[in-house]
Amino acid sequence: PIFPYRLLSKYQECLIWQSIIENANTSFLMSDTIANSAQQAWQLYHHWQLDYASSRLDQSNESHTWKTWAEKFVAFSQAHACIDFARATTQLIDLFRKKIVIPPHRIFLMGFDEISPQTKTLFHVLEQSGCQITTFMPRYPKKPIVRRIRLENTEIELETMARWAYQRRQAGDKTIVCAVPQLLEIRSQVIDSF
């Protein structure tokens, strides 16, 4: 097969990290929280294309401990033919480079504020393979006008809000937002006012 691994869900990945941490020679009261942090560090290391096996991680007890967990995570993954999302992206990059997997003709990117080096590498390899990558940045409407006023009581506040919303609608506004704290508690009053 082209991709001989089972892709782990985030939850499955976290359980593996938690198991590794609980079986290590360390004692943490909240191993699930530590596992979540270790998992996030693992993902960041891959997104930023850093080497988790680097000797620089041996300079402090904390980073050395994480490095040991990471090595056990890789060993577990290899033994069980599974892979996490961060390493799967790296594997995919290699498959595209070796032309084992053919990329799509075109990819549209929408709403990306920040693209990690790993993702940039993936897009670069795809472009080298003939894939056209188009970035679409939506135009956002002008900033909304937010107004807040204080009124005597809830009934007057809702009536004023309803009148204002009606006036804005008559003026042609297509999107009108009214924030109603405790909506569930005063739902019938809101319905009566609007």
Side-chain angles (χ1 to χ4, degrees), residues 148-161 163:
R148 184 176 176 185
I149 58 174
R150 182 183 303 260
L151 298 167
E152 292 176 38
N153 58 42
T154 304
E155 183 180 343
I156 293 172
E157 184 177 352
L158 291 172
E159 287 175 12
T160 304
M161 186 186 308
R163 265 190 256 111

Side-chain angles (χ1 to χ4, degrees), residues 176-190:
I176 303 165
V177 178
C178 296
V180 182
Q182 295 94 24
L183 177 62
L184 293 176
E185 297 163 12
I186 61 170
R187 187 172 193 273
S188 60
Q189 283 181 278
V190 173

Side-chain angles (χ1 to χ4, degrees), residues 110-172:
M110 296 176 72
F112 282 85
D113 293 335
E114 183 179 341
I115 298 176
S116 72
Q118 183 188 43
T119 306
K120 285 179 184 176
T121 300
L122 174 62
F123 292 155
H124 179 72
V125 168
L126 288 170
E127 285 178 322
Q128 286 181 328
S129 300
C131 178
Q132 179 187 356
I133 298 180
T134 304
T135 302
F136 173 74
M137 293 304 291
R139 287 189 213 137
Y140 295 103
K142 62 181 180 176
K143 266 192 162 177
I145 299 169
V146 178
R147 296 194 176 140
R148 184 176 176 185
I149 58 174
R150 182 183 303 260
L151 298 167
E152 292 176 38
N153 58 42
T154 304
E155 183 180 343
I156 293 172
E157 184 177 352
L158 291 172
E159 287 175 12
T160 304
M161 186 186 308
R163 265 190 256 111
W164 173 82
Y166 178 76
Q167 290 169 353
R168 297 304 328 142
R169 182 74 177 147
Q170 293 299 316

Side-chain angles (χ1 to χ4, degrees), residues 100-117:
I100 296 172
V101 175
I102 307 300
H105 295 293
R106 184 179 299 153
I107 294 177
F108 291 97
L109 302 177
M110 296 176 72
F112 282 85
D113 293 335
E114 183 179 341
I115 298 176
S116 72

Side-chain angles (χ1 to χ4, degrees), residues 4 10 15-16 34 40 66 96 119 122 125 137 152 179-180 194:
K10 298 270 186 196
L15 287 177
I16 295 168
I34 301 298
Q40 288 175 356
W66 179 82
F96 283 127
T119 306
L122 174 62
V125 168
M137 293 304 291
E152 292 176 38
V180 182
F194 279 82

